[in-house]
Amino acid sequence: TDGDQLGLTFHTGSVQSLKDALRFALSDLSSLRPLIDSAKQHVLSHYNWPTVVEATERVYFEAQHTG
């Protein structure tokens, strides 16, 4: 898998595409390890409290200075 990919995708509205993605995921979990690790690292680095607080403060202070 691509190092920047964070999950499996399927075509919107396509049941067959979803089935194919699920079959792939269930057929060989070990091949998904790099994808799982990338997704986990992304979540840990982008969705933790210090990051959320920093982003919230930035929006708050920008709103104060532009209004």
Side-chain angles (χ1 to χ4, degrees):
T1 62
D2 182 351
D4 294 329
Q5 189 176 358
L6 300 174
L8 296 176
T9 60
F10 61 94
H11 298 286
T12 301
S14 172
V15 173
Q16 187 61 49
S17 180
L18 174 58
K19 284 168 55 176
D20 292 343
L22 290 171
R23 279 193 186 114
F24 171 75
L26 295 172
S27 69
D28 186 8
L29 292 176
S30 64
S31 69
L32 292 179
R33 179 51 53 194
L35 181 69
I36 293 166
D37 292 343
S38 292
K40 181 179 179 179
Q41 186 56 44
H42 178 80
V43 168
L44 291 174
S45 63
H46 289 86
Y47 300 102
N48 58 60
W49 279 114
T51 302
V52 170
V53 169
E54 182 181 310
T56 303
E57 286 178 335
R58 185 174 41 249
V59 169
Y60 176 77
F61 290 127
E62 287 175 10
Q64 277 188 318
H65 291 90
T66 59

